[in-house]
Amino acid sequence: MFQIFLIFYRLLATLVVLTPLMINLTIKGDVIASLVYAPSLTIVALVLAIYFDSKVVDFYATRRKQSLLKKTTLKFTHAPLLSRFKSKQCCLKH
């Protein structure tokens, strides 16, 4: 389930990152828009997509780790107190 979500998110992030360049190609603007605004918006969108991708992957890793910890509960059993003193070297036997 998470893999499908991650693939969908990455495809959507790719479209968002490429949107300023596609707008620049379809709408003929001046040189400033082509050389400054479109690349800078693309870089900002790319940095945001990388940041949110790392947060999504970290969130999934912590949820998976928590679910694995819930499944594997450790039970500590202690021997009864009297069974510890049943050896031959016990000082209580005379």
Side-chain angles (χ1 to χ4, degrees):
M1 177 71 183
F2 177 74
Q3 296 296 329
I4 295 170
F5 173 74
L6 192 61
I7 290 170
F8 177 72
Y9 168 75
R10 288 182 177 167
L11 287 174
L12 184 66
T14 303
L15 290 176
V16 169
V17 167
L18 294 177
T19 300
L21 295 177
M22 296 307 242
I23 290 173
N24 189 33
L25 290 175
T26 57
I27 299 173
K28 300 295 182 194
D30 56 347
V31 176
I32 301 285
S34 295
L35 295 177
V36 176
Y37 297 132
S40 62
L41 286 175
T42 303
I43 290 172
V44 168
L46 181 65
V47 168
L48 288 174
I50 290 170
Y51 175 76
F52 286 122
D53 186 70
S54 67
K55 291 295 180 186
V56 167
V57 171
D58 289 343
F59 176 74
Y60 174 71
T62 56
R63 279 194 66 171
R64 183 172 177 171
K65 190 183 296 183
Q66 287 175 353
S67 68
L68 289 176
L69 286 175
K70 285 181 183 178
K71 289 180 183 177
T72 59
T73 57
L74 299 176
K75 294 181 181 179
F76 293 103
T77 56
H78 295 287
L81 185 61
L82 292 177
S83 67
R84 295 181 195 166
F85 295 107
K86 289 186 177 179
S87 68
K88 295 179 182 177
Q89 299 174 355
C90 182
C91 59
L92 296 177
K93 293 183 182 179
H94 292 287

